[in-house]
Each structure stands twice: as structure tokens, then as C-alpha cells.
Amino acid sequence: MNPNKTISPTGGDQSKQLNTIFIVAWFTCTIFYFVQYALRSAPSIMQQEIIATLNISSIEMAGIIGLYFYSYAFFALVSGVLLDRIGPRFTASLGILLVVAGCVLFCSGTVFTAQTGRFLQGAGSGLAFTSAVFLATRGFPKKWLATAVGMTQCFGMLGGFMGQAVVSPIIKNNVMSWQMFWMVAAGVLVVIFFASVFITPRTREGKVNWGGLTQPYLVVLKNPQSYVCAIISAMMFMPTNVGNIAWGSQFLIDGLNADPHDVALRLAMVPLGWVIGCPILGYISDSIGRRKPVVLGSIIMMLITGGVIVYLPNIVPNYLMGLLLGVASGAAMIPYTMIKEVNPDEVKGTATGVINFIVFVTSAIMTNLFNILIRHLTEVEGGQLNLNVFQKADMVFVGGLVLAFVLTLIVRETGSKAKVA
């Protein structure tokens, strides 16, 4: 395998056969995606330790966590044109280095360095998923695109599960301090960086045309279907990005009075559900040749499971509904496939960047708005953060899922059977 060899950008994108070089590079990039997702979710189970070290409040801690989504969104947008114009080797490697710097700064002991580190973690992570999907579209046959995207996200959510379920006992049992965890993560990423540089092939996108840098964005952004796909995915992501990652720990502890020792595992059920749901729902969508029925069914399931978790928390086993919510929300990745299918082949990297940008800008904005809403409702409750506060605030997620359902009804079907028809 010669990583310096220039490969045609269409070599794996439209092919009906597997492209081994790109599949190996995709696998390497998904390992990066796995690690960065573990780092995305890890702060949710070490919040008390970080709060004590930095001497900040829970709301300030949620604000630091939310910084991730701002930088993630911007760099996800930038990553599209970097992939289409420069190629995946530079893009993925840059992302890894940014996360390494973010890990080191995050555990440096001050609020400012924690904020800066979290911002850099988001920036580097914003290049991970788009790079992995870019490589997947060139490594796997086109008819299995949704399955490949689902498998990519499966790796990420497995990392999210590990970042909560596995890291929690390491921190709680003092196997290592929370600061040491971030330094070890930085070391692991350095190894992945060298593997990525060696394995990932160059593509013809390496011949940069800076004069036409904005053209891919114009193609994607002039297509109304791009916005519809992005908003559907953004609304489906809110319960996990805002609800589970930013506020899940407080909901379980202050809202449900859960045993602190069970919190990490209960939170981890959602990303574990993604591990199951992403590839299975993607495979079902590819097999039936339809996207919309899978998304619509998943939204209904998210409304049911999320409603049971928040409004009827004691009628089912603690872990079941979180797992089912994660399985259903795995369909949030199907619009990532749809936005590629409603746009030309030469801007697929940019299309992924655009939808990632919209999804995570929405998550960043909603995290801050949700923080404000929680603060207001807490004041109404006499300064007490309780279940009633979370039940009222949860209507934000209900409204978002209803909006996603309506938009799915009107978005254009892009599955293979619809195209044939």
C-alpha cells in the first residue's frame, strides 16, 4: 500500500466493488472517531470531579461542555471543502492534532484552559466524522452507502458508550485521576495520528483550486432539500447531544434521585443503543430501498421512549428505555445519507460538512438555551432543580421531534426504489 499514490476521487464512490485501500483508511479514521466520541461523552460522568477542581457551578460546567458543539459545527463545515479540495489525509490528521491539543489543555487546571481545550476537542472532532464518511463512500459500493454511514456512526457511539460506562469506574475508583485520563487519551491519539498519515491515500483533491473554494458550498446550499435533511437530523440529535451528554447526569441525580453509582451506566445505555441502531437501521433502509419510513418510525419510537424516561420513569426497568431511545435515534444518521443523495457526487464531502454544521450549531445553541430554560424553571421552583423542572424543559425535545416528523413527510425520498420508480 503506497499512501503517496494519488487515487481518483470517484474510485470508490460510484464503484460496485470494495476498494481495499480506502476501507483500511476508513477503519483507521473510525478509530479516531471512536476515541473522540469517548472524549465527547466522558465529561458527563466526571462532572463532579471537574466542578470541584475548577470551583464552578453545574450550569457553568454545562456551558464548558457546550463549547464543543460550536467548534465542532464550524470545523465540520470547513471539513467538507477540505475533503473535496485537499483530501482526507490532511483533513483527518489535522483533526487528530487538534484533539490532542484539546486534551492537554482541558486538564490543565483553570477554567480558561478547560474552555479552550474543550473548544479544540470540538474543532478536531468536527473533522473526524466527515473524513470517515468521505473514505467510506470511496471504499464501499454505493448501494450500501447508508449501511457504511451507519457503521461509521456505530464506531462513534461505541466510543460514547465506553466514554461513560468504562471511564466512570476508572475515575470513581481512583484508578487514575480525571486529569491523567485526558493525558492518556492524548497519547493514544498521537499513535493514531501516525497511523493515519501513513495509511490514508492521497486523492486528486490534493490539487487545490483555491479560486473555486466556495463553489461546493453554493451547490449544496442552493438545494432546499439540503436544509430539510439537516433540520430533521438536528432535531433527532437534540435529545442525545443536549439531553444525554449535557444534562443527563443532572437529570438522573437531581430529577430521579438515582444512585450516583448507576448514573454512568444508565447514561451509557443511549450510545450503546446507537451502536445497535445505526448499522441496523441503515441496513434496513438500504434493504427496502426507502429512507423515510425508517426515519418516521424511529421518530415515533423516540417520542415514546423519551416520554417514558421523563414522565413515567418508574414503570419500566431503569436501563431499558435509554437503550431503546438510543436504538431509535440511530436513524438520525439516515438524513446524512439523504443529503448526499440529493446533491451531486462531486460535493458529497461538502454535503456532509454542511449537515454536520447545521446539526451541531443547533446542538450548541440549544444547549445554551436549555441552560437558560433550566435556570429559569429552577428559580420558579424556588431554586430547587427537581423532576418537575426537567419535565417542563423536556417539551423542547418533544417539539423538535414533532418538527422532524413533519419535515420527513415532505422531504424527497432518495432510496434506491424511489429512484427506480
Side-chain angles (χ1 to χ4, degrees), residues 92-113:
S93 301
L94 174 62
I96 297 171
L97 290 179
L98 288 172
V99 178
V100 169
C103 290
V104 174
L105 287 172
F106 188 73
C107 64
S108 297
T110 70
V111 174
F112 176 75
T113 55

Side-chain angles (χ1 to χ4, degrees), residues 27 33 50 125 131 140 146 185 306 351 365 370 405:
F27 183 74
Y33 189 51
I50 299 174
S125 298
S131 297
F140 293 93
I365 293 173
F370 201 77
F405 188 90

